[in-house]
PDB file of all heavy atoms in Angstrom:
ATOM      1  N   ASN A   1      -3.095  50.277  63.265  1.00 93.00           N
ATOM      2  CA  ASN A   1      -2.998  49.972  61.831  1.00 93.00           C
ATOM      3  C   ASN A   1      -2.225  48.684  61.574  1.00 93.00           C
ATOM      4  O   ASN A   1      -2.096  48.243  60.429  1.00 93.00           O
ATOM      5  CB  ASN A   1      -2.405  51.144  61.046  1.00 93.00           C
ATOM      6  CG  ASN A   1      -0.991  51.501  61.457  1.00 93.00           C
ATOM      7  OD1 ASN A   1      -0.165  50.646  61.759  1.00 93.00           O
ATOM      8  ND2 ASN A   1      -0.688  52.808  61.465  1.00 93.00           N
ATOM      9  N   GLY A   2      -1.687  48.092  62.631  1.00 94.00           N
ATOM     10  CA  GLY A   2      -1.098  46.761  62.536  1.00 94.00           C
ATOM     11  C   GLY A   2       0.274  46.682  61.899  1.00 94.00           C
ATOM     12  O   GLY A   2       0.783  45.580  61.655  1.00 94.00           O
ATOM     13  N   THR A   3       0.915  47.825  61.663  1.00 94.00           N
ATOM     14  CA  THR A   3       2.209  47.804  60.970  1.00 94.00           C
ATOM     15  C   THR A   3       3.407  47.854  61.901  1.00 94.00           C
ATOM     16  O   THR A   3       4.531  47.598  61.471  1.00 94.00           O
ATOM     17  CB  THR A   3       2.317  48.991  59.988  1.00 94.00           C
ATOM     18  OG1 THR A   3       2.281  50.220  60.722  1.00 94.00           O
ATOM     19  CG2 THR A   3       1.180  48.958  58.966  1.00 94.00           C
ATOM     20  N   LEU A   4       3.190  48.197  63.173  1.00 95.00           N
ATOM     21  CA  LEU A   4       4.315  48.468  64.062  1.00 95.00           C
ATOM     22  C   LEU A   4       4.559  47.389  65.112  1.00 95.00           C
ATOM     23  O   LEU A   4       5.327  47.609  66.057  1.00 95.00           O
ATOM     24  CB  LEU A   4       4.121  49.832  64.757  1.00 95.00           C
ATOM     25  CG  LEU A   4       4.089  51.041  63.819  1.00 95.00           C
ATOM     26  CD1 LEU A   4       3.926  52.331  64.614  1.00 95.00           C
ATOM     27  CD2 LEU A   4       5.353  51.101  62.968  1.00 95.00           C
ATOM     28  N   PHE A   5       3.939  46.239  64.975  1.00 96.00           N
ATOM     29  CA  PHE A   5       4.288  45.132  65.861  1.00 96.00           C
ATOM     30  C   PHE A   5       5.704  44.666  65.551  1.00 96.00           C
ATOM     31  O   PHE A   5       6.126  44.607  64.391  1.00 96.00           O
ATOM     32  CB  PHE A   5       3.324  43.960  65.671  1.00 96.00           C
ATOM     33  CG  PHE A   5       1.934  44.221  66.161  1.00 96.00           C
ATOM     34  CD1 PHE A   5       0.880  44.305  65.262  1.00 96.00           C
ATOM     35  CD2 PHE A   5       1.669  44.373  67.506  1.00 96.00           C
ATOM     36  CE1 PHE A   5      -0.417  44.533  65.699  1.00 96.00           C
ATOM     37  CE2 PHE A   5       0.384  44.616  67.964  1.00 96.00           C
ATOM     38  CZ  PHE A   5      -0.658  44.693  67.048  1.00 96.00           C
ATOM     39  N   ASN A   6       6.452  44.341  66.609  1.00 93.00           N
ATOM     40  CA  ASN A   6       7.813  43.836  66.424  1.00 93.00           C
ATOM     41  C   ASN A   6       8.135  42.842  67.536  1.00 93.00           C
ATOM     42  O   ASN A   6       7.315  42.596  68.430  1.00 93.00           O
ATOM     43  CB  ASN A   6       8.826  44.984  66.381  1.00 93.00           C
ATOM     44  CG  ASN A   6       8.759  45.866  67.617  1.00 93.00           C
ATOM     45  OD1 ASN A   6       8.762  45.369  68.746  1.00 93.00           O
ATOM     46  ND2 ASN A   6       8.698  47.183  67.416  1.00 93.00           N
ATOM     47  N   SER A   7       9.321  42.288  67.488  1.00 91.00           N
ATOM     48  CA  SER A   7       9.701  41.243  68.443  1.00 91.00           C
ATOM     49  C   SER A   7       9.762  41.757  69.874  1.00 91.00           C
ATOM     50  O   SER A   7       9.626  40.993  70.826  1.00 91.00           O
ATOM     51  CB  SER A   7      11.053  40.639  68.046  1.00 91.00           C
ATOM     52  OG  SER A   7      12.059  41.652  67.992  1.00 91.00           O
ATOM     53  N   GLN A   8       9.956  43.083  70.037  1.00 93.00           N
ATOM     54  CA  GLN A   8      10.040  43.647  71.382  1.00 93.00           C
ATOM     55  C   GLN A   8       8.669  43.923  72.004  1.00 93.00           C
ATOM     56  O   GLN A   8       8.497  43.824  73.217  1.00 93.00           O
ATOM     57  CB  GLN A   8      10.851  44.961  71.370  1.00 93.00           C
ATOM     58  CG  GLN A   8      12.357  44.792  71.244  1.00 93.00           C
ATOM     59  CD  GLN A   8      12.761  44.403  69.829  1.00 93.00           C
ATOM     60  OE1 GLN A   8      12.278  44.990  68.857  1.00 93.00           O
ATOM     61  NE2 GLN A   8      13.647  43.422  69.698  1.00 93.00           N
ATOM     62  N   ASN A   9       7.693  44.298  71.178  1.00 96.00           N
ATOM     63  CA  ASN A   9       6.421  44.726  71.781  1.00 96.00           C
ATOM     64  C   ASN A   9       5.287  43.714  71.670  1.00 96.00           C
ATOM     65  O   ASN A   9       4.303  43.803  72.409  1.00 96.00           O
ATOM     66  CB  ASN A   9       5.974  46.064  71.184  1.00 96.00           C
ATOM     67  CG  ASN A   9       5.614  45.996  69.700  1.00 96.00           C
ATOM     68  OD1 ASN A   9       5.254  44.961  69.171  1.00 96.00           O
ATOM     69  ND2 ASN A   9       5.707  47.142  69.023  1.00 96.00           N
ATOM     70  N   ILE A  10       5.392  42.751  70.778  1.00 96.00           N
ATOM     71  CA  ILE A  10       4.227  41.923  70.492  1.00 96.00           C
ATOM     72  C   ILE A  10       3.813  41.044  71.673  1.00 96.00           C
ATOM     73  O   ILE A  10       2.612  40.936  71.987  1.00 96.00           O
ATOM     74  CB  ILE A  10       4.460  41.080  69.212  1.00 96.00           C
ATOM     75  CG1 ILE A  10       3.125  40.552  68.677  1.00 96.00           C
ATOM     76  CG2 ILE A  10       5.446  39.940  69.457  1.00 96.00           C
ATOM     77  CD1 ILE A  10       3.202  40.045  67.251  1.00 96.00           C
ATOM     78  N   THR A  11       4.781  40.453  72.385  1.00 97.00           N
ATOM     79  CA  THR A  11       4.425  39.598  73.525  1.00 97.00           C
ATOM     80  C   THR A  11       3.865  40.400  74.689  1.00 97.00           C
ATOM     81  O   THR A  11       2.810  40.030  75.242  1.00 97.00           O
ATOM     82  CB  THR A  11       5.633  38.763  73.977  1.00 97.00           C
ATOM     83  OG1 THR A  11       6.026  37.889  72.906  1.00 97.00           O
ATOM     84  CG2 THR A  11       5.282  37.926  75.199  1.00 97.00           C
ATOM     85  N   PRO A  12       4.507  41.521  75.119  1.00 97.00           N
ATOM     86  CA  PRO A  12       3.900  42.321  76.194  1.00 97.00           C
ATOM     87  C   PRO A  12       2.502  42.820  75.863  1.00 97.00           C
ATOM     88  O   PRO A  12       1.663  42.961  76.756  1.00 97.00           O
ATOM     89  CB  PRO A  12       4.874  43.494  76.346  1.00 97.00           C
ATOM     90  CG  PRO A  12       6.168  43.007  75.798  1.00 97.00           C
ATOM     91  CD  PRO A  12       5.811  42.062  74.695  1.00 97.00           C
ATOM     92  N   ILE A  13       2.237  43.089  74.588  1.00 98.00           N
ATOM     93  CA  ILE A  13       0.913  43.574  74.190  1.00 98.00           C
ATOM     94  C   ILE A  13      -0.129  42.480  74.335  1.00 98.00           C
ATOM     95  O   ILE A  13      -1.168  42.668  74.979  1.00 98.00           O
ATOM     96  CB  ILE A  13       0.937  44.123  72.749  1.00 98.00           C
ATOM     97  CG1 ILE A  13       1.684  45.453  72.711  1.00 98.00           C
ATOM     98  CG2 ILE A  13      -0.487  44.310  72.217  1.00 98.00           C
ATOM     99  CD1 ILE A  13       1.918  45.984  71.312  1.00 98.00           C
ATOM    100  N   ILE A  14       0.135  41.309  73.752  1.00 98.00           N
ATOM    101  CA  ILE A  14      -0.896  40.262  73.767  1.00 98.00           C
ATOM    102  C   ILE A  14      -1.094  39.672  75.154  1.00 98.00           C
ATOM    103  O   ILE A  14      -2.113  39.033  75.414  1.00 98.00           O
ATOM    104  CB  ILE A  14      -0.593  39.147  72.743  1.00 98.00           C
ATOM    105  CG1 ILE A  14       0.710  38.423  73.090  1.00 98.00           C
ATOM    106  CG2 ILE A  14      -0.550  39.718  71.338  1.00 98.00           C
ATOM    107  CD1 ILE A  14       1.012  37.253  72.142  1.00 98.00           C
ATOM    108  N   GLU A  15      -0.153  39.906  76.060  1.00 98.00           N
ATOM    109  CA  GLU A  15      -0.326  39.464  77.445  1.00 98.00           C
ATOM    110  C   GLU A  15      -1.312  40.353  78.195  1.00 98.00           C
ATOM    111  O   GLU A  15      -1.858  39.948  79.224  1.00 98.00           O
ATOM    112  CB  GLU A  15       1.017  39.470  78.174  1.00 98.00           C
ATOM    113  CG  GLU A  15       1.958  38.347  77.753  1.00 98.00           C
ATOM    114  CD  GLU A  15       3.313  38.438  78.427  1.00 98.00           C
ATOM    115  OE1 GLU A  15       3.633  39.509  79.000  1.00 98.00           O
ATOM    116  OE2 GLU A  15       4.067  37.441  78.371  1.00 98.00           O
ATOM    117  N   LYS A  16      -1.560  41.574  77.678  1.00 98.00           N
ATOM    118  CA  LYS A  16      -2.356  42.545  78.440  1.00 98.00           C
ATOM    119  C   LYS A  16      -3.653  42.966  77.767  1.00 98.00           C
ATOM    120  O   LYS A  16      -4.536  43.502  78.442  1.00 98.00           O
ATOM    121  CB  LYS A  16      -1.501  43.787  78.735  1.00 98.00           C
ATOM    122  CG  LYS A  16      -0.299  43.492  79.625  1.00 98.00           C
ATOM    123  CD  LYS A  16       0.564  44.727  79.822  1.00 98.00           C
ATOM    124  CE  LYS A  16       1.743  44.418  80.740  1.00 98.00           C
ATOM    125  NZ  LYS A  16       2.685  43.447  80.112  1.00 98.00           N
ATOM    126  N   VAL A  17      -3.780  42.775  76.455  1.00 98.00           N
ATOM    127  CA  VAL A  17      -5.012  43.186  75.789  1.00 98.00           C
ATOM    128  C   VAL A  17      -5.906  41.978  75.527  1.00 98.00           C
ATOM    129  O   VAL A  17      -5.437  40.839  75.451  1.00 98.00           O
ATOM    130  CB  VAL A  17      -4.734  43.928  74.456  1.00 98.00           C
ATOM    131  CG1 VAL A  17      -3.811  45.118  74.685  1.00 98.00           C
ATOM    132  CG2 VAL A  17      -4.168  42.979  73.400  1.00 98.00           C
ATOM    133  N   ASN A  18      -7.201  42.257  75.393  1.00 98.00           N
ATOM    134  CA  ASN A  18      -8.163  41.192  75.106  1.00 98.00           C
ATOM    135  C   ASN A  18      -8.485  41.089  73.625  1.00 98.00           C
ATOM    136  O   ASN A  18      -8.800  40.008  73.124  1.00 98.00           O
ATOM    137  CB  ASN A  18      -9.457  41.434  75.881  1.00 98.00           C
ATOM    138  CG  ASN A  18      -9.240  41.492  77.373  1.00 98.00           C
ATOM    139  OD1 ASN A  18      -8.998  42.568  77.929  1.00 98.00           O
ATOM    140  ND2 ASN A  18      -9.314  40.349  78.026  1.00 98.00           N
ATOM    141  N   ASN A  19      -8.435  42.237  72.942  1.00 98.00           N
ATOM    142  CA  ASN A  19      -8.765  42.271  71.521  1.00 98.00           C
ATOM    143  C   ASN A  19      -7.827  43.229  70.792  1.00 98.00           C
ATOM    144  O   ASN A  19      -7.389  44.236  71.363  1.00 98.00           O
ATOM    145  CB  ASN A  19     -10.212  42.738  71.303  1.00 98.00           C
ATOM    146  CG  ASN A  19     -11.226  41.887  72.024  1.00 98.00           C
ATOM    147  OD1 ASN A  19     -11.575  40.809  71.579  1.00 98.00           O
ATOM    148  ND2 ASN A  19     -11.689  42.384  73.162  1.00 98.00           N
ATOM    149  N   ILE A  20      -7.556  42.913  69.547  1.00 98.00           N
ATOM    150  CA  ILE A  20      -6.798  43.815  68.677  1.00 98.00           C
ATOM    151  C   ILE A  20      -7.640  44.074  67.433  1.00 98.00           C
ATOM    152  O   ILE A  20      -8.044  43.138  66.740  1.00 98.00           O
ATOM    153  CB  ILE A  20      -5.432  43.224  68.285  1.00 98.00           C
ATOM    154  CG1 ILE A  20      -4.545  43.056  69.528  1.00 98.00           C
ATOM    155  CG2 ILE A  20      -4.735  44.121  67.258  1.00 98.00           C
ATOM    156  CD1 ILE A  20      -3.207  42.385  69.245  1.00 98.00           C
ATOM    157  N   ASP A  21      -7.915  45.347  67.192  1.00 97.00           N
ATOM    158  CA  ASP A  21      -8.705  45.754  66.029  1.00 97.00           C
ATOM    159  C   ASP A  21      -7.768  46.459  65.053  1.00 97.00           C
ATOM    160  O   ASP A  21      -7.227  47.525  65.352  1.00 97.00           O
ATOM    161  CB  ASP A  21      -9.834  46.687  66.472  1.00 97.00           C
ATOM    162  CG  ASP A  21     -10.689  47.177  65.315  1.00 97.00           C
ATOM    163  OD1 ASP A  21     -10.473  46.710  64.176  1.00 97.00           O
ATOM    164  OD2 ASP A  21     -11.563  48.031  65.541  1.00 97.00           O
ATOM    165  N   ILE A  22      -7.561  45.854  63.893  1.00 95.00           N
ATOM    166  CA  ILE A  22      -6.622  46.380  62.903  1.00 95.00           C
ATOM    167  C   ILE A  22      -7.386  47.014  61.747  1.00 95.00           C
ATOM    168  O   ILE A  22      -8.231  46.376  61.117  1.00 95.00           O
ATOM    169  CB  ILE A  22      -5.702  45.263  62.366  1.00 95.00           C
ATOM    170  CG1 ILE A  22      -4.883  44.659  63.518  1.00 95.00           C
ATOM    171  CG2 ILE A  22      -4.770  45.805  61.286  1.00 95.00           C
ATOM    172  CD1 ILE A  22      -4.031  43.461  63.105  1.00 95.00           C
ATOM    173  N   SER A  23      -7.101  48.274  61.483  1.00 91.00           N
ATOM    174  CA  SER A  23      -7.720  48.970  60.353  1.00 91.00           C
ATOM    175  C   SER A  23      -6.979  48.592  59.077  1.00 91.00           C
ATOM    176  O   SER A  23      -5.766  48.783  58.978  1.00 91.00           O
ATOM    177  CB  SER A  23      -7.656  50.481  60.574  1.00 91.00           C
ATOM    178  OG  SER A  23      -8.301  50.845  61.776  1.00 91.00           O
ATOM    179  N   LEU A  24      -7.720  48.072  58.091  1.00 89.00           N
ATOM    180  CA  LEU A  24      -7.088  47.602  56.862  1.00 89.00           C
ATOM    181  C   LEU A  24      -7.637  48.304  55.617  1.00 89.00           C
ATOM    182  O   LEU A  24      -6.888  48.660  54.713  1.00 89.00           O
ATOM    183  CB  LEU A  24      -7.267  46.091  56.727  1.00 89.00           C
ATOM    184  CG  LEU A  24      -6.438  45.401  55.653  1.00 89.00           C
ATOM    185  CD1 LEU A  24      -4.945  45.601  55.884  1.00 89.00           C
ATOM    186  CD2 LEU A  24      -6.763  43.911  55.597  1.00 89.00           C
ATOM    187  N   ASP A  25      -8.955  48.456  55.543  1.00 83.00           N
ATOM    188  CA  ASP A  25      -9.606  49.231  54.474  1.00 83.00           C
ATOM    189  C   ASP A  25      -9.352  48.681  53.077  1.00 83.00           C
ATOM    190  O   ASP A  25      -9.247  49.442  52.108  1.00 83.00           O
ATOM    191  CB  ASP A  25      -9.183  50.707  54.541  1.00 83.00           C
ATOM    192  CG  ASP A  25      -9.573  51.349  55.858  1.00 83.00           C
ATOM    193  OD1 ASP A  25     -10.728  51.170  56.268  1.00 83.00           O
ATOM    194  OD2 ASP A  25      -8.724  51.997  56.490  1.00 83.00           O
TER     195      ASP A  25
END
């Protein structure tokens, strides 16, 4: 849902995933 990214997790995440799909509606 894209609300829980923070300074601790955002870099490790984007280093390992290819795509991010955020539900916005």
Side-chain angles (χ1 to χ4, degrees):
N1 62 38
T3 64
L4 297 181
F5 291 113
N6 56 49
S7 58
Q8 285 74 45
N9 66 25
I10 197 164
T11 297
I13 288 172
I14 63 177
E15 287 176 345
K16 296 177 179 66
V17 305
N18 301 90
N19 303 281
I20 296 176
D21 179 6
I22 299 175
S23 302
L24 192 60
D25 299 313

